[in-house]
């Protein structure tokens, strides 16, 4: 057959409405993938940009020694912006007798590379954004240093040997983060003043950072070129490392969006396969006739492949346009909700959409069409000679290969692909059987039923193979939707519970034992009271009688920069297990424990080769304290509560001179409370993390919106699968019910029968979907999202109900023509 | 095989697998048909007439035996080659008409020429539609035509491929007596005009009588 007849065939099929469903399914595949990836692509870039604020840079190189020349050379050779910063603790002095430990940050022109500085002329105000840094000779101080040191703007403070003038109040800086124990309020100064302070001496504790800004490719290439090893003493830091909380929120959100995209592709693939099968089935007779007229199998095959190629090309072109418009629509709708500027998209989404379209066509639509070559010409005289069963195998393996390829290619994750496929395979095998059993059970019930029911149930029985397939497809679509809904709920709950509105965002430290009662009273009166922990610095000097240095030397390489057993740490004691801590090995001591025991954080113990029963000797403020390791704990580092590696039994440290710490929540407009607190207790140290937490909350909110949007898109493509599937089963139902009507069946009887049939299919599909969703969600939560697994009893009621109603509505809508058109049209036109 | 033989079937057997074991539909059937001959295959329902016709026309393969059609041993060819022979030498008329519903009457008649890639398909097809008396209905779809009209379109399409042999399986089976009569006339007129060999299966004794030879089949065997 030549090209012109192919075009004519395609045109005639199009005119007859035969190709519309296939084209729509392919359009959905291309359109959703393009739209989702465009949106995710842009949102991803925007979120990365936003979270880069936490570093004040895209990446940085950090170390406890000056950044060496070779690194600087490598950076300079690339198209990157760079700024040096230094952080160190220092005592500063004002007037004659006022002193305070502060965390000094020295920066140079250009800082920050990402995000902005907020400064003010009045402490404890909101301040305004600015782009400059303190000029040489000047410093900017944290609000609460003003009351604490009784200084005002224009006064001078001594930093080391230098006298510097206080010119502004520092309200916020983007990379304020860091540990809670990065002690003291901030002093921001110019890097050029650092030499004159002479605080940089051999052995002083200084953090050097080289902040970097530039294209991802350049940065990644640089990282690869420099090849950071643990032993180099320098670290390459990106936002994931610098802020694990944001990192994990981003990771999970990305996994979710990815998963959503994957499901959309799979659903669209199913829709394509369904409509291609329907198209092929409706062409068996055509092929039979073509063949009696002398068309060879090759001619038949190639002409259908050519028709498919035409449809595929149309779908790719139209789908890209629709996807682009759809995504613009999404952005428009969400403009209010997404305060961040979306960067321009890359071309990858279009490429992704187009390739998806062609792969869907190849893997899902091609096999049934290729199979048309095998239709026997005898079909013209004997209808049952339809399809050779060998092709089923081809269809399934092509669909499986296609899905596999799409999944891997799209997710770039073998892991996610593996679990999705394991889930899908299990679902198919298990639920194929389950669906057959359910249908069989339906027969028994149907025996005693009225005529509408009998008609419906006998229909279900007679086409039990088609119906099993349809239940599977409905079930799969509903299951995928449930999976997404459940995951979304779990993710968002998790985020919200991690960051409740009243999460502690201020920490009070250095509270003396005499002040504890007063501080507690002040906090109680303003209803901010949290648990108060004793805290004391100390370090391990011996392990089982072996010197701590020797213990380290015995267990690790001298260049290894990891944790040392002998490092100084914050210690505490407690009678009860602190909130969010879980004892994983050994036993927590009774509250009246007399012995000197200690409980270690699980990972800390493992890293230092410490185990249950080891005897540790501590140096706590010059006093030797012996304690036996009685338990190992796991704790939630993301809980925003004070956390300790090492906790003693109360008896062990009862004589030591500890100070106390606590945490509480403070709204921004209540910050003046700090002044009251600090004027009453000037020696107490306040650590503010409210700015960081507020920023995290913004990001989590944005990510949540993105997640919900993707969910909505996948729901749409899921509904399209349902429609395609009902369309695919329509022909048989139409013919059957037309016959029933010629035999005297009333419209009411047939509508009733159809309703029962769809409701039963939907309910069965719902049952299957619930089982599948529970299993898949449990697997995904456990393996991908690292969230706790839980069951959803309500689902077992909702799934089948929603399934029944959904399929009933969509089904009746899809077959409304069956009931309303005169039976003669159906019988006459039934050329299949 | 003489120069005039177009169809030669030797010792045809057809066995199909069923749930209850193998079922023998045809056994030891031998038949020779000469150019220009008209042959009617008759027999009781279920005796194997349609099966034999399908095998003679190269639509189906026998389980044993050989068939030669237009000097080619079609039982030894693959499906590609058999299709080509069908396109060149064979025309069909079926009891159930087998028109493509999405094509107009004219397009249905043009189909064989289109499949061959002939450029002058349309005037040829119009001429044939005129011969079967349906030139006004050229643009109509099959569902807009009566059964007799559909069968006339099918006959026009069968002759459009200028076949050496025309196979017909109960061409009047779905039609009333007088319409059937008209179809029979049309079939034989065109057969004479195009000098085609005619092989038809029928229950209709009038149709059988019009044929030069009647072959009776009984339980899968030719009655001689
Ligand atoms: N593929 C098959 N599988 C099973 N049985 C078959 C198959 N093909 C034909 N038969 C059986 O072989 C017998 C002959 O069939 P065939 O259609 O050739 O009969 P026929 O003579 O054309 O009958 P009718 O006059 O009713 O059309 C029938 O009993 C039929 O059921
Ligand atoms: Mg027959």
């Amino acid at each position: 057959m030549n090209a012109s007849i192919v075009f004519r065939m395609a045109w005639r099929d199009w005119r007859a409405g035969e190709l519309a469903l296939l084209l729509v399914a392919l359009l959905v595949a291309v359109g959703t993938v393009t739209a989702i990836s465009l949106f995710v692509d842009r949102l991803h870039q925007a979120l990365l940009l936003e979270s880069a604020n936490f570093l004040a840079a895209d990446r940085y190189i950090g170390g406890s020694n000056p950044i060496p020349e070779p690194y600087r050379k490598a950076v300079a050779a690339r198209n990157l912006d760079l700024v040096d910063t230094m952080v160190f603790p220092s005592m500063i002095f004002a007037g004659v007798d006022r002193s305070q430990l502060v965390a000094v940050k020295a920066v140079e022109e250009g800082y920050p590379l990402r995000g902005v500085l907020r400064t003010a002329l009045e402490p404890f105000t909101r301040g305004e954004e600015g782009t400059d840094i303190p000029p040489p000779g000047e410093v900017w101080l944290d609000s609460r240093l003003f009351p604490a040191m009784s200084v005002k703007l224009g006064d001078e403070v001594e930093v080391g040997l230098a006298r510097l003038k206080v010119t502004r109040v520092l309200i916020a800086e983007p990379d304020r983060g860091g540990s809670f124990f990065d002690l003291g309020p901030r002093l921001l100064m110019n890097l050029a003043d650092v030499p004159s302070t002479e605080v940089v001496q051999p052995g002083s504790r200084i953090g050097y950072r080289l902040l970097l800004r530039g294209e991802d490719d350049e940065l990644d290439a640089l990282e690869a070129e420099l090849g950071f090893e643990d032993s180099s003493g320098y670290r390459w830091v990106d936002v994931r490392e610098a802020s694990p909380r944001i990192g994990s929120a981003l990771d999970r959100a990305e996994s979710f969006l990815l998963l959503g995209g994957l499901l959309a592709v799979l659903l669209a693939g199913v829709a394509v396969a369904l409509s291609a099968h329907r198209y092929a089935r409706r062409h068996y007779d055509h092929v039979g006739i073509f063949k009696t007229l002398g068309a060879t199998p090759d001619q038949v095959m190639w002409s259908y492949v050519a028709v498919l190629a035409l449809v595929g090309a149309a779908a790719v072109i139209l789908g890209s346009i629709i996807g682009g418009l759809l995504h613009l629509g999404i952005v428009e709708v969400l403009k209010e909700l997404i305060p961040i500027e979306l960067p321009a998209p890359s071309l990858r989404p279009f490429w992704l959409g187009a390739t998806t379209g062609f792969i869907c066509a190849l893997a899902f639509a091609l096999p049934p069409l290729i199979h048309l070559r095998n239709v026997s010409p005898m079909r013209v005289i004997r209808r049952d000679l339809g399809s050779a069963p060998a092709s089923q195998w081809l269809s399934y393996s092509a669909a499986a290969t296609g899905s596999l390829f799409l999944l891997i290619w799209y997710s770039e994750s073998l892991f996610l692909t593996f679990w999705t496929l394991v889930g899908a395979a299990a679902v198919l095998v298990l639920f194929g059987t389950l669906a057959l059993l359910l249908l069989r059970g339906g027969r028994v019930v149907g025996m005693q039923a009225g005529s509408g029911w009998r008609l419906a149930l006998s229909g279900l029985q007679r086409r039990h193979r088609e119906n099993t397939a349809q239940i599977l497809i409905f079930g799969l679509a509903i299951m995928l939707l449930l999976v997404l809904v459940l995951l979304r709920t779990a993710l968002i709950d998790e985020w919200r519970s991690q960051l409740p509105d009243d999460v502690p965002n201020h920490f009070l430290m250095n509270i003396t034992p005499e002040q504890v009662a007063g501080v507690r009273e002040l906090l109680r009166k303003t209803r901010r009271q949290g648990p108060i922990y004793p805290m004391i610095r100390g370090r391990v000097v011996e392990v089982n009688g072996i010197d701590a240095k020797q213990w380290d030397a015995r267990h690790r390489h001298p260049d290894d920069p990891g944790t040392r057993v002998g490092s100084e740490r914050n210690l505490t004691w407690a009678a009860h297990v602190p909130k969010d801590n879980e004892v994983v090995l050994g036993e927590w001591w009774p509250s009246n424990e007399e012995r000197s025991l200690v409980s270690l954080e699980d990972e800390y113990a493992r890293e230092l080769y410490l185990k249950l029963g080891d005897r540790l000797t501590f140096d706590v403020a010059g006093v030797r304290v012996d304690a036996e390791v009685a338990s190992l704990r796991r704790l939630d580092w993301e809980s925003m509560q004070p956390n300790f590696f090492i906790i003693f039994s109360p008896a062990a440290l009862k004589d030591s001179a500890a100070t106390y710490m606590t945490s509480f929540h403070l709204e921004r407009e209540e910050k003046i409370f700090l002044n009251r607190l600090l004027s009453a207790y000037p020696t107490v140290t306040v650590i503010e993390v409210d700015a960081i937490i507020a920023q995290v909350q913004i990001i989590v909110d944005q990510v949540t919106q993105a997640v919900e949007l993707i969910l909505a898109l996948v729901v749409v493509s899921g509904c399209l699968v349902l429609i395609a599937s009902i369309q695919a089963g329509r022909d048989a139902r139409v013919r059957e019910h037309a016959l029933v009507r010629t035999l005297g069946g009333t419209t009411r009887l047939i509508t009733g029968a159809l309703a029962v049939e769809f409701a039963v299919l939907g309910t069965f599909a719902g049952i299957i979907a619930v089982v599948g969703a529970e299993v898949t969600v449990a697997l995904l939560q456990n393996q991908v999202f690292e969230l706790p697994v839980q069951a959803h009893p309500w689902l077992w009621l909702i799934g089948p109900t929603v399934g029944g109603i959904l399929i009933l509505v969509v089904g009746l809508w899809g077959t409304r023509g069956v009931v309303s058109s005169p039976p003669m049209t159906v019988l006459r036109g039934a050329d299949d | 095989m003489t120069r005039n033989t177009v169809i030669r079937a030797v010792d045809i057997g057809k066995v199909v697998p069923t749930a209850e074991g193998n079922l023998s539909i045809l056994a030891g059937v031998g038949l020779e048909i000469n150019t220009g001959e008209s042959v009617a295959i008759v027999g009781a329902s279920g005796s194997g007439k349609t099966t034999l016709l399908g095998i003679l026309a190269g639509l189906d393969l026998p389980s044993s035996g050989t068939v030669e059609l237009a000097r080619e041993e079609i039982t030894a060819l693959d499906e590609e080659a058999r299709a080509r022979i069908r396109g060149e030498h064979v025309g069909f008329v079926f009891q159930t008409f087998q028109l493509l519903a999405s094509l107009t009457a004219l397009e249905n008649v043009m189909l064989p020429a289109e499949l061959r890639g002939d450029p002058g398909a349309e005037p040829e097809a119009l001429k044939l539609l005129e011969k079967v008396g349906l030139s006004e209905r050229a643009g109509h779809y099959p569902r807009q035509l009566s059964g007799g009209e559909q069968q006339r379109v099918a006959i026009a399409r069968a002759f459009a491929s200028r076949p050496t042999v025309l196979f017909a399986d109960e061409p009047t089976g779905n039609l009333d007596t007088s319409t059937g009569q008209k179809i029979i006339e049309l079939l034989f007129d065109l057969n004479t005009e195009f000098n085609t060999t005619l092989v038809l299966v029928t229950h209709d004794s009038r149709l059988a009588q019009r044929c030069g030879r009647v072959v009776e089949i009984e339980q899968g065997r030719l009655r001689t």
Side-chain angles (χ1 to χ4, degrees):
Chain A
M1 286 189 246
N2 54 26
S4 84
I5 191 171
V6 167
F7 272 106
R8 240 171 301 163
M9 251 172 70
W11 172 242
R12 282 169 195 154
D13 284 339
W14 174 253
R15 216 174 41 187
E18 303 272 292
L19 283 172
L21 198 60
L22 182 62
L23 180 70
V24 169
L26 281 170
L27 275 181
V28 169
V30 178
T32 6
V33 168
T34 311
I36 289 185
S37 354
L38 272 172
F39 184 71
V40 169
D41 185 82
R42 295 180 68 181
L43 193 73
H44 176 88
Q45 289 184 46
L47 286 176
L48 273 187
L49 219 55
E50 175 87 344
S51 47
N53 290 348
F54 284 76
L55 301 184
D58 292 327
R59 310 277 195 282
Y60 70 78
I61 299 171
S64 50
N65 289 301
I67 308 298
E69 215 36 53
Y71 285 180
R72 291 179 180 281
K73 280 221 179 74
V75 174
R78 294 181 181 276
N79 184 19
L80 296 170
D81 299 321
L82 68 156
V83 173
D84 273 291
T85 69
M86 276 169 79
V87 182
F88 51 89
S90 180
M91 278 315 253
I92 61 168
F93 300 89
V96 236
D97 55 350
R98 285 159 289 149
S99 66
Q100 167 86 38
L101 182 70
V102 300
V104 177
K105 179 182 278 178
V107 299
E108 59 178 355
E109 199 60 53
Y111 168 89
L113 291 176
R114 296 283 184 205
V116 285
L117 284 174
R118 294 191 83 88
T119 59
L121 297 171
E122 193 80 48
F124 300 107
T125 52
R126 215 179 119 64
E128 53 204 41
E129 296 181 355
T131 50
D132 30 347
I133 61 162
E138 297 181 11
V139 292
W140 296 351
L141 300 183
D142 240 2
S143 290
R144 56 199 178 73
L145 281 174
F146 290 84
M149 298 192 68
S150 332
V151 289
K152 52 190 190 313
L153 294 186
D155 289 355
E156 287 191 330
V157 293
E158 286 171 42
V159 183
L161 297 182
R163 293 182 69 84
L164 302 167
K165 194 165 142 195
V166 180
T167 54
R168 289 189 85 84
V169 185
L170 177 65
I171 303 294
E173 75 210 79
D175 53 343
R176 165 60 65 94
S179 75
F180 304 139
F181 307 108
D182 175 10
L183 273 175
R186 179 69 82 213
L187 178 150
L188 191 70
M189 63 184 284
N190 197 294
L191 199 64
D193 287 331
V194 173
S196 64
T197 64
E198 293 185 25
V199 292
V200 180
Q201 306 287 341
S204 39
R205 247 178 48 179
I206 300 179
Y208 294 86
R209 288 180 181 182
L210 183 60
L211 307 189
L212 303 172
R213 177 178 64 196
E215 297 288 328
D216 267 355
D217 306 352
E218 290 277 321
L219 291 164
D220 291 346
L222 179 66
E223 183 189 4
E225 178 189 332
L226 298 180
F228 290 88
E229 305 212 345
D230 283 352
S231 57
S232 71
Y234 292 93
R235 292 184 308 136
W236 176 265
V237 180
D238 60 19
V239 68
R240 286 191 158 67
E241 224 173 305
S243 175
R245 175 189 306 278
I246 291 184
S248 80
L250 271 184
D251 280 344
R252 284 175 184 165
E254 265 173 42
S255 293
F256 183 90
L257 296 183
L258 215 60
L259 194 75
L262 286 184
L263 298 191
V265 175
L266 282 189
L267 284 173
V270 172
V272 168
L274 284 173
S275 40
H277 268 284
R278 175 172 191 248
Y279 177 77
R281 225 181 11 254
R282 292 176 73 101
H283 279 73
Y284 285 163
D285 286 346
H286 294 219
V287 173
I289 296 170
F290 286 151
K291 285 195 165 181
T292 61
L293 296 177
T296 69
D298 279 353
Q299 277 181 321
V300 167
M301 182 179 80
W302 285 116
S303 40
Y304 280 102
V305 169
V307 169
L308 179 63
L310 271 180
V311 175
V316 163
I317 295 167
L318 289 177
S320 303
I321 296 171
I322 291 174
L325 293 178
L326 193 62
H327 127 269
L328 285 183
I330 295 165
V331 171
E332 188 59 31
V333 169
L334 295 187
K335 209 169 56 190
E336 298 292 301
L337 300 174
I338 308 171
I340 37 177
E341 183 94 9
L342 288 178
S346 61
L347 279 179
R348 186 167 179 266
F350 289 104
W351 167 233
L352 215 58
T355 315
T356 303
F358 275 114
I359 292 174
C360 277
L362 278 182
F364 296 103
L366 194 56
L369 295 187
I370 284 187
H371 167 59
L372 283 173
R373 92 191 293 279
N374 299 331
V375 168
S376 162
M378 271 303 271
R379 186 177 165 81
V380 177
I381 31 187
R382 206 181 296 289
R383 295 298 290 279
D384 57 318
L385 293 173
S387 53
S391 79
Q392 303 278 354
W393 190 83
L394 175 71
S395 296
Y396 291 137
S397 53
T401 317
S403 313
L404 194 70
F405 179 85
L406 275 178
L407 287 172
I408 294 176
W409 182 62
Y410 196 54
S411 70
E412 290 167 357
S413 157
L414 282 175
F415 188 75
L416 209 57
T417 305
F418 176 76
W419 283 111
T420 315
L421 282 189
V422 166
V427 164
L428 283 181
V429 173
L430 191 68
F431 297 152
T433 327
L434 191 58
L436 268 177
L437 288 179
L438 285 174
L439 278 180
R440 198 151 295 165
R443 170 161 54 193
V444 181
V445 178
M447 290 303 176
Q448 300 93 353
S451 66
W453 275 85
R454 241 195 333 259
L455 186 60
L457 292 174
S458 74
L460 284 173
Q461 285 304 312
R462 217 172 20 260
R463 298 186 303 272
H464 70 273
R465 264 179 52 149
E466 294 85 337
N467 284 324
T468 304
Q470 214 162 39
I471 288 180
L472 279 187
I473 289 159
F474 289 156
L476 204 67
I478 298 177
M479 176 189 123
L480 294 183
L481 296 182
L482 285 179
V483 164
L484 277 194
V485 172
L486 290 182
L487 279 184
R488 168 208 157 269
T489 314
L491 273 186
I492 291 174
D493 284 356
E494 170 84 5
W495 287 332
R496 294 260 155 83
S497 73
Q498 266 178 24
L499 291 176
D501 285 342
D502 57 350
V503 64
N505 57 1
H506 288 78
F507 290 80
L508 279 191
M509 308 183 73
N510 289 334
I511 308 168
T512 61
E514 302 78 53
Q515 292 171 330
V516 167
V519 169
R520 179 173 299 177
E521 186 58 21
L522 183 60
L523 289 178
R524 198 181 57 76
K525 265 193 273 177
T526 52
R527 282 182 281 122
R528 312 182 194 287
Q529 191 183 14
I532 297 189
Y533 296 92
M535 193 168 89
I536 189 164
R537 302 285 284 175
R539 58 192 193 86
V540 177
V541 288
E542 282 174 20
V543 180
N544 296 333
I546 302 161
D547 183 73
K549 283 210 179 61
Q550 262 178 296
W551 180 267
D552 279 333
R554 206 180 272 188
H555 286 103
R556 57 191 351 152
H557 195 265
D559 288 340
D560 184 343
T563 328
R564 308 272 154 182
V565 71
S567 311
E568 207 183 13
R569 304 233 158 245
N570 291 303
L571 313 176
T572 191
W573 66 87
H576 305 284
V577 192
K579 192 167 161 276
D580 292 328
N581 281 229
E582 184 196 354
V583 175
V584 289
L585 208 64
E587 297 255 343
W588 188 262
W589 44 78
S591 54
N592 58 356
E593 177 64 55
E594 295 285 309
R595 285 176 300 159
S596 173
L597 300 176
V598 67
S599 169
L600 303 180
E601 196 264 334
D602 186 42
E603 221 155 275
Y604 168 81
R606 207 166 330 140
E607 210 174 315
L608 297 171
Y609 300 89
L610 302 175
K611 55 189 187 311
L612 231 52
D614 279 348
R615 269 178 307 101
L616 303 181
T617 307
F618 288 83
D619 174 346
V620 182
V623 182
R624 281 173 68 96
V625 177
D626 285 309
E628 188 187 315
V629 179
S631 64
L632 298 183
R633 281 166 300 123
R634 212 169 273 154
L635 45 81
D636 182 4
W637 288 109
E638 296 186 356
S639 71
M640 280 286 176
Q641 300 289 341
N643 281 317
F644 292 90
F645 283 124
I646 301 165
I647 302 180
F648 285 87
S649 60
L653 291 180
K654 62 176 180 291
D655 302 325
S656 57
T659 60
Y660 290 77
M661 71 166 296
T662 186
S663 60
F664 57 90
H665 177 81
L666 205 59
E667 296 290 338
R668 185 195 281 279
E669 52 273 18
E670 301 169 324
K671 286 201 80 140
I672 198 74
F673 172 74
L674 290 182
N675 259 3
R676 211 171 122 203
L677 186 81
L678 286 170
S679 55
Y681 302 99
T683 54
V684 166
T685 308
V686 180
I687 296 174
E688 296 146 279
V689 293
D690 53 334
I692 305 175
I693 289 182
Q695 219 158 351
V696 172
Q697 263 159 344
I698 289 176
I699 289 200
V700 165
D701 280 350
Q702 286 164 352
V703 167
T704 306
Q705 280 153 15
V707 158
E708 289 185 334
L709 184 86
I710 297 301
L711 180 70
L713 278 180
V714 175
V715 167
V716 169
S717 53
C719 286
L720 266 156
V721 170
L722 295 187
I723 292 171
S725 172
I726 282 168
Q727 285 296 318
R730 188 169 181 262
D731 298 339
R733 288 201 181 89
V734 167
R735 217 170 321 107
E736 209 172 279
H737 290 298
L739 269 174
V740 171
R741 277 204 290 162
T742 60
L743 299 177
T746 61
T747 307
R748 250 188 65 197
L749 175 75
I750 290 175
T751 313
L754 278 174
V756 169
E757 196 173 330
F758 285 124
V760 169
L761 283 182
T763 308
F764 288 174
I767 295 172
I768 283 168
V770 169
V771 178
E774 286 276 28
V775 174
T776 314
V777 168
L779 276 176
L780 282 174
Q781 287 196 335
N782 196 352
Q783 300 292 323
V784 179
F785 293 100
E786 291 169 8
L787 294 175
V789 173
Q790 71 236 107
H792 311 86
W794 51 272
L795 207 62
W796 292 84
L797 196 70
I798 298 232
T801 317
V802 169
I805 294 173
L806 187 70
I807 306 294
L808 176 72
V809 172
V810 180
L812 283 183
W813 179 77
T815 50
R816 63 198 184 290
V818 180
V819 191
S820 56
S821 60
M824 196 53 204
T825 346
V826 179
L827 290 182
R828 273 209 156 199
D831 74 278
D832 181 348
Chain B
M1 192 174 191
T2 68
R3 285 189 54 116
N4 280 340
T5 313
V6 271
I7 297 175
R8 189 157 105 122
V10 181
D11 202 17
I12 301 282
K14 180 71 178 176
V15 178
V16 294
T18 65
E20 293 87 39
N22 284 345
L23 173 72
S24 170
I25 306 174
L26 293 176
V29 174
L31 190 62
E32 275 194 26
I33 296 170
N34 291 329
T35 313
E37 234 190 319
S38 53
V39 178
I41 302 173
V42 297
S45 182
S47 52
K49 304 183 294 294
T50 299
T51 310
L52 177 61
L53 191 79
I55 290 171
L56 292 180
L59 294 180
D60 198 8
L61 284 176
S63 313
S64 59
T66 59
V67 177
E68 277 174 41
L69 179 67
R71 295 169 195 291
E72 297 261 17
E73 188 179 328
I74 54 171
T75 40
L77 299 174
D78 63 5
E79 177 56 26
E80 285 291 314
R82 262 201 309 278
R84 221 162 287 129
I85 291 194
R86 283 199 299 269
E88 241 171 83
H89 296 290
V90 177
F92 289 97
V93 176
F94 306 101
Q95 181 177 3
T96 50
F97 322 139
Q98 299 292 359
L99 299 176
L100 291 186
S102 57
L103 269 53
T104 61
L106 178 64
E107 286 167 340
N108 264 292
V109 178
M110 283 163 60
L111 201 55
E114 278 185 347
L115 285 172
R116 277 198 311 268
D118 278 1
E122 190 168 331
E124 178 91 349
L126 276 171
K127 225 185 287 167
L128 277 161
L129 274 178
E130 204 182 311
K131 280 197 206 306
V132 299
L134 284 175
S135 33
E136 295 93 75
R137 314 293 301 269
H140 287 202
Y141 288 92
R143 75 185 66 185
Q144 298 168 309
L145 301 173
S146 74
E149 288 162 345
Q150 288 189 47
Q151 192 62 305
R152 282 192 272 160
V153 175
I155 288 171
R157 184 180 69 185
F159 283 100
S161 54
R162 307 207 162 269
T164 319
V165 189
L166 185 77
F167 292 95
D169 190 1
E170 300 185 28
T172 58
N174 272 353
L175 304 172
D176 65 69
T177 324
S178 73
T179 311
Q181 191 60 42
K182 282 183 201 137
I183 292 293
I184 293 170
E185 296 306 332
L186 188 61
L187 203 55
F188 278 91
D189 287 353
L190 287 172
N191 191 43
T192 322
E193 185 179 337
F194 288 92
N195 190 25
T196 314
T197 309
L198 189 61
V199 181
L200 53 82
V201 165
T202 189
H203 286 293
D204 187 338
S205 53
R206 279 172 310 157
L207 180 52
Q209 277 158 23
R210 292 285 303 262
C211 294
R213 176 152 61 117
V214 175
V215 177
E216 196 179 349
I217 189 164
E218 195 178 294
Q219 290 187 359
R221 291 178 178 278
L222 284 192
R223 221 164 81 166
T224 41

